[in-house]
Amino acid sequence: MKKILITGGAGFIGSHVVRLFVRKYPTYEIVNLDKLTYAGNLENLRDVEKLPNYRFLKADITDGDTMLQLFEKEKFNGVIHLAAESHVDRSILNPMDFVITNVIGTVNLLNAFKAHGDMTDGLFYHISTDEVYGTLGDSGFFTEETSYQPNSPYSASKASSDHFVRAWHETFKLPVVISNCSNNYGSHQFPEKLIPLFIHNIKNYKPLPVYGKGENVRDWLWVEDHARAIDVIFHNGKKGDTYNIGGHNEWKNIDLIRVLCKQMDEKLGREPGSSEKLITYVTDRSGHDFRYAIDSSKLQRELGWKPSLQFEEGLSKTIDWYLANSEWLEHVTSGAYQNYYEQQYAAR
Ligand code: NAD
Ligand code: TYD
């Protein structure tokens, strides 16, 4: 019997990880800890919330005393740490929120695990991003040996948290593992990131704000493939190691947006080319990384993981999910979302 804490389990990736673990490991006790910020939504977990091996706890990882008391009481065997502020544009507006949640929150969890976690057979698994490596030119890939060169407040906060995790391993012998993943897409993603934002805007005939010339490149991974990688690394990863996760699936933003527009036109029964007319080039993001591309051969070679889904198929499934879940979309885009949207895009 294992008791595993998953932080940020009400968010986009976290909800997929919780779902996978709760269903696949009925003998594990899965505790989902989440503050339920704008990005956390318990509607993401309706299908597993009644299962006997699942429990939700509303708590804030930035509260160190509460984390210590919780870990003392629960004696977790493992932690899968996903809770974070995750959106680059928000980090440009409010960097300190990212320092507090991503850096201090992570150190609170490391301290709590060191004090009361299973330091012999347990594991503290930190989920991170490829953005810590900075930006690439037209060629090359990020490997586990690439040096850190974060450019945004978001990636700087994630890089910092990665370093703290490594430091707790070296200094305090905490059993840790880190993975750095490329851009995820799929169901339940908050519509501030490129793909769900553009699906939402196309649906509502709103402009599609393309930053700069749309030439930046991202390496997209189906979120359920990320969740499967997390499962494999949690169970078989080497303690103290880092694993890169990516789909070998690079897209220039504007090319991806054109495919998305075409699929949306077909699914909504609109005139071919009508969604593309919504494309609006806006002021570029400050410090916008040009290209991300992950070399995930270590994970593939050592742990046998590989991505399962071809991109156009994954994109089509993602659009279908958003079109079938308009109530979810309405709930998450009401209220505070409108304020953020105005602040982010009005002056662009
Ligand atoms: P998300 O923003 O959708 O979800 C984050 C979750 O963390 C939310 O449920 C939120 O309520 C919770 N949270 C935030 N602050 C908290 C706090 N102080 N205490 C407790 N809970 C808190 O993010 P996501 O896209 O699912 O990303 C999850 C993790 O994966 C993050 O660590 C992110 O850096 C990393 N990551 C994301 C991507 C991506 O493409 N989205 C890629 C690689 C790595
Ligand atoms: P995003 O989904 O924010 O992920 P990240 O910045 O973490 O890679 O953005 C993906 C790409 O899409 C990135 O190059 C920025 C671009 N982008 C736009 O052009 N317009 C938008 O409105 C958003 C949110 C992103």
Side-chain angles (χ1 to χ4, degrees):
M1 163 75 165
K2 278 190 179 165
K3 195 188 269 192
I4 297 167
L5 178 72
I6 299 182
T7 70
F12 165 49
I13 302 171
S15 62
H16 287 274
V17 175
V18 166
R19 192 171 295 108
L20 185 154
F21 272 72
V22 168
R23 289 204 177 123
K24 187 168 172 187
Y25 302 106
T27 61
Y28 291 7
E29 188 179 338
I30 305 294
V31 180
N32 169 14
L33 182 156
D34 199 296
K35 181 184 171 185
L36 301 181
T37 66
Y38 77 93
N41 184 351
L42 289 177
E43 283 180 54
N44 295 351
L45 292 159
R46 284 272 179 269
D47 52 334
V48 292
E49 68 187 1
K50 298 232 158 56
L51 294 178
N53 61 334
Y54 171 75
R55 192 150 48 96
F56 174 70
L57 263 179
K58 186 169 187 301
D60 186 341
I61 60 167
T62 68
D63 179 348
D65 289 341
T66 301
M67 291 307 108
L68 276 171
Q69 285 159 19
L70 175 72
F71 277 65
E72 183 173 17
K73 180 168 156 245
E74 300 278 359
K75 304 269 185 298
F76 296 113
N77 301 103
V79 175
I80 305 178
H81 174 38
L82 295 116
E85 288 293 338
S86 69
H87 189 41
V88 173
D89 291 323
R90 284 184 194 259
S91 81
I92 297 168
L93 291 174
N94 294 309
M96 195 52 84
D97 291 350
F98 286 68
V99 177
I100 293 170
T101 293
N102 297 357
V103 184
I104 297 175
T106 300
V107 175
N108 283 338
L109 293 172
L110 290 167
N111 272 338
F113 195 81
K114 172 173 166 273
H116 303 293
D118 179 354
M119 292 279 284
T120 320
D121 300 317
L123 183 68
F124 187 101
Y125 180 1
H126 179 61
I127 307 299
S128 193
T129 167
D130 61 351
E131 302 189 23
V132 298
Y133 297 122
T135 184
L136 290 165
D138 286 322
S139 61
F141 295 92
F142 298 134
T143 72
E144 287 81 1
E145 277 70 50
T146 304
S147 58
Y148 277 31
Q149 226 163 16
N151 293 315
S152 71
Y154 164 66
S155 53
S157 70
K158 292 296 293 187
S160 172
S161 63
D162 292 8
H163 290 321
F164 275 105
V165 174
R166 278 199 71 252
W168 257 241
H169 175 69
E170 293 298 326
T171 306
F172 304 115
K173 308 296 167 229
L174 210 77
V176 307
V177 71
I178 300 174
S179 60
N180 298 82
C181 187
S182 63
N183 289 62
N184 284 216
Y185 73 100
S187 70
H188 301 90
Q189 186 170 31
F190 190 80
E192 61 185 356
K193 307 269 177 18
L194 181 72
I195 291 177
L197 175 71
F198 279 32
I199 293 173
H200 180 58
N201 285 13
I202 291 172
K203 202 179 147 208
N204 296 299
Y205 299 98
K206 284 176 69 177
L208 305 177
V210 178
Y211 297 166
K213 295 190 175 130
E215 282 173 355
N216 302 62
V217 176
R218 295 291 181 266
D219 180 354
W220 295 92
L221 181 70
W222 175 240
V223 63
E224 292 179 26
D225 282 334
H226 188 189
R228 281 196 305 107
I230 289 172
D231 177 19
V232 167
I233 294 168
F234 181 77
H235 288 98
N236 301 316
K238 190 163 159 262
K239 287 181 184 160
D241 263 23
T242 283
Y243 296 88
N244 279 354
I245 311 172
H248 277 287
N249 177 44
E250 290 181 52
W251 285 81
K252 206 183 262 194
N253 289 341
I254 193 65
D255 294 338
L256 183 161
I257 291 161
R258 292 213 170 94
V259 175
L260 179 69
C261 286
K262 186 166 175 286
Q263 290 199 7
M264 288 290 286
D265 284 343
E266 284 163 13
K267 288 176 194 288
L268 294 169
R270 292 184 186 167
E271 199 62 23
S274 58
S275 296
E276 275 202 28
K277 291 196 188 118
L278 298 169
I279 291 175
T280 311
Y281 291 92
V282 300
T283 314
D284 208 352
R285 175 187 278 169
S286 186
H288 195 174
D289 285 337
F290 174 62
R291 174 172 166 260
Y292 303 142
I294 274 271
D295 176 349
S296 62
S297 54
K298 174 179 174 186
L299 174 61
Q300 305 208 20
R301 192 178 57 247
E302 293 185 8
L303 303 183
W305 171 91
K306 60 176 188 316
S308 72
L309 206 64
Q310 201 256 343
F311 184 63
E312 279 91 339
E313 190 191 340
L315 191 61
S316 168
K317 280 167 134 229
T318 304
I319 298 170
D320 289 345
W321 186 86
Y322 281 93
L323 295 181
N325 289 277
S326 38
E327 202 180 309
W328 182 93
L329 206 51
E330 272 156 35
H331 287 177
V332 301
T333 53
S334 58
Y337 176 82
Q338 301 296 346
N339 299 337
Y340 164 76
Y341 201 83
E342 283 302 312
Q343 199 180 1
Q344 188 57 241
Y345 293 102
R348 263 196 143 112

